[in-house]
Amino acid sequence: MIGERLLAAQRARFAAADPLLPMPAGPPDGEPLTAATASGEQVAGVVQTKTHAPGTLDLLWSAQRVWQLFPFPGETGTEGIDALLRAWRHALDAESPGPDSACTVTWPSRDAPAIRAFLRHGLVPISVLAIRTAPPAPEIPPADLTVRLATPEDFEEVLALTKATFDYTALVTSHERPDAVELMTPQLKRNLAARAPIWLAETGGVATAIADCGWVESAPGTWAAELLPLGRWGYVNNVATRPGARGNGIGRALMSTVHRDFAARGAVGTYLYYNPTNPLSSVFWPRQGYRPLWTFWEVQPASALR
Ligand SMILES: CC(C)(COP(=O)(O)OP(=O)(O)OC[C@H]1O[C@@H](n2cnc3c(N)ncnc32)[C@H](O)[C@@H]1OP(=O)(O)O)[C@@H](O)C(=O)NCCC(=O)NCCS
């Protein structure tokens, strides 16, 4: 279905779009989808469906039922993706996705010709994976600020600050989980007990910001290697400053500690996800040296794909 021609074109396209993208692997398993452009060029894709079980962590950022398209648009620019999305819309007519559902596509952020096709079909750029490979910048923290690693005793503060991110994200995305606290509690407890790199900033002894981080190894054959260049990456999972304390340089000082610590321990860089519609993080992260690598396109519910 997805032959050598489409795979070679995909590799050339990704390499031309962004030198930091990993070389695309072969097509994933799933339902094949085929289409042709107006000029007769054959394109193809694979559709995967998954249902997240109640209580699983994926539900913090994902719809429960997900249809994901992996396009292989050849050398067709906007047109091939447009044709595949039309074919996908047609195939979805036979399904009943329900309200807690989404159609998603993960695509290189810098492949500009694809963007128009996604927008035309009702997909929105819900999130980006952004990376930072620059050496850490020195930062003079505000006078009364201390930054330290959190311990299991800090659970309540860590949970409250983590929740602050979800409260804010609920305002700036269409994704709201009233049960966010229940969903994230077990993992937070586990990570604190394992002494994961979860950083707390304190002002006068009061916790004012959190950077919940971890390590991700991008090794050949792993899921991480499909998204990131090979190496050991610092993953910045969740960062928040208490609402009343934002805009005072706390986030900047906290991240300078995080970046210095990851670099000292041999990270090739750091990466994170942010929502382009978040007016705070979409400015904060690029100023911190992050730039988009992958964009996560989504339409909810899945039946709203145009
Ligand atoms: C993103 C966030 C963690 C940044 O933390 P912070 O402590 O406000 O960061 P800083 O003060 O160092 O920098 C914030 C920037 O916004 C500016 N700013 C000014 N007033 C602000 C205000 N009232 N609120 C927020 N930011 C403000 C700051 O001046 C600064 O810009 P600068 O680089 O030009 O100085 C914080 O805004 C936050 O908690 N947002 C809600 C949760 C969230 O979106 N998390 C990120 C998920 S990916």
Side-chain angles (χ1 to χ4, degrees):
M1 183 67 55
I2 288 153
E4 279 309 310
R5 176 185 66 89
L6 287 178
L7 194 54
Q10 190 93 330
R11 290 186 169 145
R13 183 178 183 136
F14 281 24
D18 191 336
L20 289 184
L21 288 168
M23 173 86 87
D29 294 335
E31 283 297 309
L33 189 73
T34 52
T37 64
S39 60
E41 185 161 341
Q42 296 292 319
V43 291
V46 173
V47 177
Q48 281 183 358
T49 50
K50 61 179 157 235
T51 302
H52 297 295
T56 49
L57 210 57
D58 291 310
L59 292 172
L60 281 176
W61 53 83
S62 169
Q64 198 190 8
R65 299 188 70 201
V66 180
W67 277 252
Q68 182 170 8
L69 173 67
F70 296 82
F72 286 78
E75 291 165 359
T76 60
T78 307
E79 262 200 300
I81 296 200
D82 188 45
L84 280 167
L85 291 170
R86 233 177 304 121
W88 196 19
R89 170 62 266 174
H90 188 64
L92 273 167
D93 288 345
E95 313 258 7
S96 310
D100 195 352
S101 64
C103 285
T104 70
V105 185
T106 302
W107 199 251
S109 301
R110 290 188 177 175
D111 185 15
I115 296 174
R116 195 149 49 108
F118 293 138
L119 291 172
R120 228 184 244 167
H121 288 272
L123 292 146
V124 294
I126 189 69
S127 177
V128 296
L129 184 161
I131 60 174
R132 178 187 196 282
T133 49
E139 172 76 28
I140 299 153
D144 55 348
L145 191 82
T146 52
V147 176
R148 65 170 175 89
L149 282 168
T151 70
E153 287 71 56
D154 299 311
F155 173 72
E156 291 303 330
E157 284 83 0
V158 167
L159 184 67
L161 285 163
T162 306
K163 187 175 173 295
T165 299
F166 288 96
D167 291 345
Y168 193 79
T169 307
L171 300 173
V172 298
T173 66
S174 57
H175 194 71
E176 192 182 3
R177 287 281 173 218
D179 54 350
V181 166
E182 290 81 63
L183 290 174
M184 65 197 169
T185 291
Q187 196 199 36
L188 268 184
K189 283 194 165 154
R190 262 197 318 274
N191 289 348
L192 283 168
R195 293 295 200 269
I198 300 175
W199 296 88
L200 273 182
E202 292 172 325
T203 313
V206 177
T208 42
I210 189 176
D212 174 352
C213 305
W215 285 94
V216 168
E217 177 85 34
S218 171
T222 61
W223 65 265
E226 291 178 20
L227 294 174
L228 296 165
L230 297 181
R232 238 180 134 224
W233 287 82
Y235 171 44
V236 181
N237 173 35
N238 198 332
V239 177
T241 298
R242 232 179 249 295
R246 286 173 195 161
N248 293 311
I250 297 173
R252 231 165 39 199
L254 176 60
M255 288 315 298
S256 97
T257 300
V258 170
H259 291 145
R260 269 185 283 121
D261 187 71
F262 272 130
R265 289 170 198 274
V268 292
T270 47
Y271 80 98
L272 48 79
Y273 298 85
Y274 69 80
N275 305 119
T277 51
N278 180 329
L280 298 179
S281 63
S282 62
V283 178
F284 182 75
W285 292 122
R287 294 200 66 167
Q288 287 291 314
Y290 288 81
R291 61 86 153 175
L293 185 65
W294 295 96
T295 301
F296 298 82
W297 294 87
E298 183 179 277
V299 55
Q300 285 201 35
S303 55
L305 184 74
R306 289 207 290 267

